[in-house]
Amino acid sequence: MKLVTYISNGHPRTGGLRGETIVDLNAADPAIPTNMVDLLNGGDAMLTKADAAIKLGQKTVEYDPNRLLSPILMPPKILAVGLNYMDHFDELPAPVKQRVGGKPPDRPIIFNKQNTSVTGPYSPVKRPIESKEFDWEGELGVVIGKTCRRVKADRAFDVIAGYTIVNDLTIRDWQKATPTMTMGKSWDTHCPMGPCIVTRDEIEDPEDLRVVLSVDGKVHQDFNTGDMLFNIATQIEHLSTAFTLVPGDVIATGTSAGVATFQPGQPYLQEGQTCRVEIERIGFIENKVELDEGEHFIR
């Protein structure tokens, strides 16, 4: 299945892709929630209902990218893995390598992105006025589908609901200002995600998927998920050792070489440019860069 969250009459609803249409899951079966986290909390039984609804549902709308929101509007947690590809480690300048110990990590480097950073697969992303160092990182996202703790690697895929695309957009100077990276990783709109969740049964081997990131058509990243230093099972085992994973959590599994900060001239994202991340078997996300002019509010 390909599960989406889309706008209908101004409200987000869960849907499933069937050909060139979106099936409204709740309209097909009122037992199916209109919120993706609630749907995933229903476990395998709810996914079975969703599958039936996609096949048989009568209320459909024409597929329109402009309707799509992030498939998970506000994930309970967004967990990310740093330096998880050897090519990415290799591109680090020598002083940076020394700061991280001079050799590839011997265990996953984990940081988080705040869930308010999420935006839609085709929504604008904002370059803040506070920095010009707006960088990209195309990544495979793993969506958790079961509440779990201390999951062994050989059971890790049992807790996965499916896969999505994440662009781990990063404000580099803010990232480098503190050792935790969180501030540089969590600006509003800096986690575009989607366009859908492809359920686990549809991707036999998520560690053999091509990932391509381009800016205005120029390819900057082109790699295979099979090159991860720490595979998906290892990530889930490691993370769930420390804390409970819950349905709707997203793991951004890391990026490879080609980020702007380590390229000659540091070609950071600028207003008017479009950044696209494509992963085979899932689709693509594409986000135009706009200037965040410093809006402030209290609500």
Side-chain angles (χ1 to χ4, degrees), residues 1-2 198-204 281:
M1 286 182 288
K2 291 186 175 181
V198 180
T199 51
R200 188 183 73 233
D201 58 296
E202 292 214 0
I203 297 181
E204 182 178 348
R281 308 287 302 277

Side-chain angles (χ1 to χ4, degrees), residues 6-226:
Y6 75 105
I7 284 285
S8 177
N9 296 320
H11 299 284
R13 297 181 67 84
T14 51
L17 298 185
R18 187 175 72 200
E20 297 300 314
T21 62
I22 300 172
V23 178
D24 187 307
L25 298 180
N26 178 260
D29 183 346
I32 301 175
T34 58
N35 179 283
M36 191 65 73
V37 171
D38 293 338
L39 188 158
L40 295 174
N41 267 307
D44 292 340
M46 190 61 70
L47 289 176
T48 298
K49 288 179 181 290
D51 186 48
I54 292 170
K55 292 173 181 173
L56 302 173
Q58 297 301 307
K59 183 177 179 182
T60 64
V61 297
E62 183 178 355
Y63 178 82
D64 178 356
N66 295 318
R67 287 182 175 268
L68 295 188
L69 305 173
S70 169
I72 305 173
L73 297 176
M74 190 161 283
K77 295 187 285 294
I78 305 170
L79 304 160
V81 186
L83 294 179
N84 197 30
Y85 287 79
M86 193 65 201
D87 282 353
H88 188 31
F89 180 82
D90 286 342
E91 73 175 343
L92 300 179
V96 179
K97 284 182 180 174
Q98 289 306 310
R99 286 203 298 271
V100 297
K103 59 184 179 58
D106 57 9
R107 65 180 64 187
I109 296 173
I110 302 299
F111 61 92
N112 74 293
K113 292 175 78 76
Q114 302 298 334
N115 58 12
T116 48
S117 67
V118 169
T119 194
Y122 308 111
S123 301
V125 293
K126 304 284 189 175
R127 198 274 292 173
I129 59 172
E130 291 83 358
S131 175
K132 293 185 178 179
E133 297 185 11
F134 190 20
D135 208 343
W136 57 76
E137 296 188 12
E139 310 197 9
L140 174 69
V142 173
V143 180
I144 298 298
K146 289 184 170 62
T147 301
C148 58
R149 178 82 194 278
R150 294 192 175 97
V151 179
K152 295 301 182 185
D154 62 359
R155 293 289 311 278
F157 284 87
D158 295 343
V159 308
I160 294 173
Y163 307 97
T164 192
I165 302 171
V166 172
N167 192 346
D168 176 20
L169 293 168
T170 304
I171 301 300
R172 292 297 181 194
D173 50 351
W174 284 64
Q175 175 194 3
K176 292 179 283 189
T178 62
T180 64
M181 297 192 284
T182 298
M183 286 294 286
K185 295 285 189 173
S186 296
W187 292 68
D188 287 3
T189 76
H190 289 189
C191 189
M193 189 184 306
C196 59
I197 299 169
V198 180
T199 51
R200 188 183 73 233
D201 58 296
E202 292 214 0
I203 297 181
E204 182 178 348
D205 187 0
E207 289 163 353
D208 186 18
L209 298 175
R210 186 183 181 192
V211 183
V212 178
L213 181 144
S214 60
V215 178
D216 289 346
K218 180 180 179 180
V219 173
H220 290 275
Q221 294 186 293
D222 188 346
F223 61 96
N224 190 283
T225 56

